[in-house]
C-alpha cells in the first residue's frame, strides 16, 4: 500500500514559509513524540473572548414563600416544645405538691399560695438530703408569709379579730374561725417560733440591704468580726444594722395569749417556750412557765373528775386517787418540770416527782371504754386508688385533747423505761451527804452508783423487749421510734457508767498491787466487821466483766437500732436491692 501523506488542511491552502518548511515526511503511524516541536497558536490576552458569569436572583418569589413557611414552621415547633415543657413542669409541680400535701396537710379553706408556702416551709425544715442543712432563713420567710396571709382579712383572715389591748401586740382572737383553720394557724405559729430561734442573731444592714448573721458585724458587741464571704459588700457596722426577724419571745407570748387555742396546744407551746428559755439560761421564767403548764393540766383534770386535784401543790408529786388516773397532759407537763429541775441541780425535788410519775404510769389501764377505737380501713382497690388521685385528700381528724389517761401499751412502757433512765442518771450522779467518816461517805456514793446502774439496766431491758415485740407496720412507727431512742440512750448511759466504775476498779487494783499491805490494814479495821474492808477477787474484776456484757448487748441490739425502710416500695421494687 502506498503511504498516506498527513498534512493539516490549512497547510494545503496557504504556502509554508521557507524557514519553517520541512521536507520530512510524516506518516499517520508516527509517534506523538515527533510532533512536540510543532508550533501552536499563541494564547494572548487581548485575543481571548471574555466569559461572563450568569447573574441569579436569590430572593425570588418562590424562595420568599419558602422562607416564610420555614420560619412559621420553626416558630410552631418551638412553641410546641415550650408548651410540652411547661406541661411537664406543671405535672411535676402538681405531683410534688400532692406528695407534700399528704405529708404536711393544710386546711382546704386556705388560699393556694398560703398552702404552697406552708408545705414548703415544713419540707425545708425536715431536710433529708445529707449534703445540705436546713436553711432556716428560707423557712422563716416562708412561714412568716403564711402567718401574714392568715392574719390579713383581705386574704385568708376573714372574720379574724384582734385580742384585747392587754395582750401582746399582734395577738389574735381565732375563736370565731373553724377548727381546721385554728389547727393550721397554731402549727404555722409554732413553726414560726421554732424558725425564729434559729435566726435570732440575723441582722439587716440598712445601707446595703444585706441580711447576714451578726458574726460579721463590726461593733462593740462583736470585737472580732468574721470576714464577709462576698467581697462586693463592705463589712457592716453595728449602728447601721437592725434585727431581721421577730424575737422568739414575742412569738411565744403571742401564741400563749391567743384566744381560741385548746389547753393541750397552750401546754405544748409553754413547754417549747420553757425549753427555749432554758437554752438561753433564763431558768427562773422557764420554771414559772413549766409550773403554769402543770397547773393548767391539773386544773383541767380536776374540772373533769369532779373537783379532785390530782397534784400536791408543794412537792408537785401525784396524789393517788381511787379510779382516777392522771391525764396525758398532766403526765407530759409534770415530766418536763421534773427533768428541768434535775438538769438544773434540784435533785431533791426532781427525784420524788419522777418516782411518782413512774408509779402512776405503771398503774395505767390497758383499755378505756371512753376511747373510741378507730374503724378498720378497707383494702383499697385499683379503681379507688385512681379516683383518690383525682380528688383532694381529706384534712386529718383532730388529735386527742390529752384529757384522758394514756393506755399502757408498748409506747407507754417505753416511756416508763425513759423515766427509769432519768432516775438512774440522778441516782448515779447524786452526791453523798457529808459525814465525818470518809469510809461511810465512799460507801454511800458507791451504793448510789450501783442503784442508778440498776435503774439503767432495767430501762434497757424494757426498751429492748418492747422493741422486739413491735411490728413494722405504719401504726407502730411512733412506738418504735420512742423505744429505739430509749434503747440507744440506755445503752449509752450504761456504757458510760460501767466504764467509769471499771476505771476506778482498775485504779484500785493497781494500788493494791503497789501496796500489798493496804489490803491487810483494811481487813483488820473495825469497818471489816461489816464486810467492807475486804477486796475479793471477783469484786476487782466485776466491772471489767460487765463491760463485756454491754458489748454483747450492743452487738445484739444493733439490728434494732438500725432504721431500715420497710413496707411495699411499689411495682418497681424488684429493681431495687
Amino acid at each position: 500500500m502506498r503511504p498516506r501523506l498527513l498534512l493539516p488542511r490549512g497547510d494545503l491552502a496557504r504556502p509554508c514559509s521557507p524557514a519553517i518548511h520541512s521536507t520530512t515526511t510524516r506518516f499517520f503511524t508516527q509517534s506523538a513524540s515527533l510532533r512536540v516541536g510543532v508550533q501552536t497558536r499563541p494564547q494572548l490576552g487581548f485575543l481571548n473572548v471574555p466569559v461572563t458569569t450568569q447573574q441569579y436572583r436569590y430572593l425570588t418569589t418562590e424562595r420568599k414563600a419558602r422562607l416564610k413557611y420555614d420560619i412559621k414552621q420553626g416558630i410552631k415547633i418551638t412553641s410546641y416544645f415550650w408548651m410540652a415543657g411547661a406541661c411537664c413542669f406543671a405535672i411535676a409541680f402538681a405531683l410534688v405538691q400532692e406528695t407534700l400535701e399528704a405529708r404536711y396537710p393544710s386546711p382546704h379553706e386556705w388560699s393556694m399560695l398560703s398552702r404552697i408556702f406552708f408545705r414548703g416551709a415544713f419540707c425545708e425544715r425536715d431536710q433529708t438530703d445529707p449534703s445540705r442543712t436546713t436553711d432556716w432563713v428560707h423557712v422563716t420567710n416562708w412561714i412568716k408569709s403564711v402567718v401574714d396571709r392568715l392574719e390579713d382579712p383581705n386574704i385568708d383572715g376573714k372574720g379574724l379579730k384582734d385580742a384585747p389591748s392587754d395582750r401582746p401586740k399582734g395577738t389574735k382572737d381565732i375563736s370565731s374561725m373553724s377548727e381546721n383553720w385554728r389547727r393550721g394557724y397554731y402549727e404555722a405559729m409554732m413553726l414560726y417560733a421554732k424558725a425564729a430561734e434559729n435566726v435570732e442573731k440575723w441582722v439587716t444592714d440598712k445601707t446595703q440591704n444585706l441580711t447576714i448573721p451578726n458574726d460579721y458585724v463590726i461593733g462593740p458587741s462583736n470585737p472580732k468580726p468574721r470576714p464577709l464571704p462576698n467581697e462586693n459588700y463592705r463589712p457592716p457596722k453595728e449602728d447601721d444594722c437592725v434585727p431581721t426577724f421577730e424575737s422568739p419571745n414575742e412569738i411565744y407570748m403571742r401564741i400563749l395569749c391567743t384566744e381560741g387555742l385548746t389547753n393541750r396546744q397552750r401546754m405544748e407551746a409553754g413547754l417549747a417556750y420553757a425549753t427555749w428559755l432554758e437554752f438561753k439560761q433564763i431558768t427562773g421564767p422557764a420554771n414559772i412557765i413549766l409550773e403554769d403548764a402543770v397547773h393548767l393540766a391539773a386544773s383541767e383534770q380536776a374540772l373533769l373528775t369532779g373537783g379532785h386535784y390530782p397534784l400536791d401543790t408543794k412537792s408537785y408529786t401525784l396524789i393517788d386517787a381511787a379510779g382516777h388516773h392522771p391525764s396525758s397532759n398532766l403526765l407530759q407537763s409534770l415530766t418536763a418540770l421534773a427533768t428541768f429541775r434535775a438538769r438544773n441541780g434540784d435533785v431533791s425535788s426532781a427525784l420524788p416527782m419522777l418516782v411518782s410519775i413512774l408509779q402512776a404510769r405503771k398503774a395505767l389501764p390497758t383499755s378505756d371504754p371512753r376511747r373510741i377505737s378507730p374503724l378498720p380501713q378497707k383494702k383499697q382497690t385499683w379503681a379507688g386508688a385512681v379516683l383518690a388521685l383525682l380528688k383532694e385528700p381529706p384534712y386529718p381528724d383532730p388529735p386527742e385533747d390529752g384529757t384522758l389517761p394514756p393506755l399502757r401499751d408498748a409506747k407507754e412502757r417505753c416511756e416508763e423505761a425513759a423515766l427509769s433512765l432519768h432516775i438512774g442518771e440522778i441516782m448515779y450522779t447524786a452526791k453523798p451527804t457529808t459525814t465525818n467518816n470518809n469510809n461511810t461517805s465512799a460507801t454511800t456514793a458507791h451504793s448510789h452508783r450501783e442503784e442508778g446502774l440498776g435503774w439503767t439496766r432495767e430501762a434497757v431491758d424494757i426498751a429492748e423487749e418492747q422493741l422486739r415485740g413491735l411490728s413494722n407496720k405504719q401504726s407502730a412507727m411512733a412506738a418504735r421510734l420512742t423505744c429505739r431512742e430509749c434503747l440507744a440512750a440506755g445503752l449509752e448511759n450504761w456504757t458510760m457508767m460501767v466504764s467509769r466504775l471499771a476505771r476506778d476498779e482498775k485504779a484500785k487494783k493497781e494500788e493494791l498491787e503497789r501496796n500489798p499491805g493496804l489490803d491487810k490494814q483494811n481487813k483488820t479495821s473495825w469497818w471489816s466487821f461489816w464486810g467492807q474492808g475486804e477486796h475479793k477477787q471477783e469484786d476487782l474484776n466485776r466491772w471489767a466483766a460487765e463491760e463485756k456484757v454491754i458489748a454483747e448487748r450492743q452487738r445484739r441490739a444493733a439490728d434494732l437500732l438500725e432504721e431500715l425502710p420497710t413496707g411495699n416500695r411499689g411495682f418497681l421494687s424488684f429493681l431495687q436491692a
Side-chain angles (χ1 to χ4, degrees), residues 79-99:
S79 302
Y80 288 159
F81 275 110
W82 278 103
M83 292 173 60
C87 292
C88 293
F89 177 79
I91 293 173
F93 180 78
L95 292 176
V96 170
Q97 292 299 319
E98 188 73 15
T99 304

Side-chain angles (χ1 to χ4, degrees), residues 157-168:
K158 297 179 181 179
L160 192 65
K161 302 177 182 178
D162 293 331
S165 58
D166 58 341
R167 305 296 175 86

Side-chain angles (χ1 to χ4, degrees), residues 391-405:
K391 61 181 181 180
E392 193 173 22
Y395 195 67
D397 297 331
E400 297 182 358
D401 57 0
T403 56
L404 296 177

Side-chain angles (χ1 to χ4, degrees), residues 146-390:
V146 174
V147 173
D148 293 342
R149 293 175 64 86
L150 293 179
E151 294 179 351
D152 190 348
N154 297 323
I155 304 179
D156 292 324
K158 297 179 181 179
L160 192 65
K161 302 177 182 178
D162 293 331
S165 58
D166 58 341
R167 305 296 175 86
K169 183 180 179 181
T171 307
K172 300 297 180 180
D173 183 2
I174 62 174
S175 55
S176 60
M177 310 302 288
S178 65
E179 196 274 336
N180 293 345
W181 194 99
R182 295 197 303 267
R183 285 167 52 198
Y185 179 78
Y186 169 75
E187 293 177 2
M189 288 295 293
M190 289 297 293
L191 180 57
Y192 188 24
K194 183 65 177 178
E197 295 179 7
N198 292 272
V199 295
E200 185 191 19
K201 297 183 179 181
W202 283 70
V203 295
T204 300
D205 187 359
K206 297 181 293 183
T207 60
Q208 305 180 83
N209 195 21
L210 177 65
T211 301
I212 53 173
N214 60 359
D215 299 340
Y216 301 95
V217 178
I218 301 175
S221 61
N222 189 25
K224 296 181 179 180
R226 297 169 56 188
L228 281 176
N230 192 347
E231 298 180 355
N232 296 328
Y233 295 95
R234 65 177 183 273
K237 297 181 180 180
E238 188 172 353
D239 297 336
D240 301 332
C241 297
V242 294
T244 305
F245 304 102
E246 193 174 357
S247 171
N249 296 322
E250 300 175 359
I251 301 175
Y252 278 121
M253 291 304 299
R254 286 172 54 189
I255 298 174
L256 293 175
C257 297
T258 299
E259 294 288 342
L261 297 180
T262 63
N263 288 337
R264 185 173 183 84
Q265 291 172 343
R266 295 180 188 276
M267 184 201 69
E268 291 178 348
L271 298 184
Y273 187 26
T275 303
W276 165 248
L277 292 176
E278 184 184 6
F279 173 75
K280 302 295 289 185
Q281 298 181 356
I282 310 176
T283 56
N287 184 70
I288 295 175
I289 293 176
L290 288 173
E291 290 178 354
D292 291 343
V294 172
H295 285 298
L296 177 63
S299 302
E300 182 183 34
Q301 182 174 352
L303 183 63
L304 295 175
T305 57
H308 172 72
Y309 203 75
L311 195 68
D312 186 354
T313 56
K314 292 184 178 180
S315 61
Y316 285 93
T317 56
L318 293 172
I319 299 176
D320 295 334
H324 297 291
H325 300 282
S327 63
S328 299
N329 292 343
L330 183 57
L331 290 174
Q332 183 179 355
S333 58
L334 193 58
T335 303
L337 177 61
T339 53
F340 168 79
R341 292 186 175 181
R343 285 192 300 267
N344 290 273
D346 192 2
V347 178
S348 60
S349 174
L351 190 58
M353 295 166 59
L354 290 173
V355 173
S356 66
I357 296 171
L358 182 58
Q359 292 175 352
R361 284 191 177 276
K362 288 185 176 181
L364 289 175
T366 56
S367 61
D368 193 344
R370 293 175 293 180
R371 292 180 178 271
I372 301 176
S373 58
L375 297 176
Q377 297 181 354
K378 297 181 180 179
K379 190 175 180 180
Q380 197 174 26
T381 60
W382 282 97
V386 173
L387 292 177
L389 293 175
L390 301 178

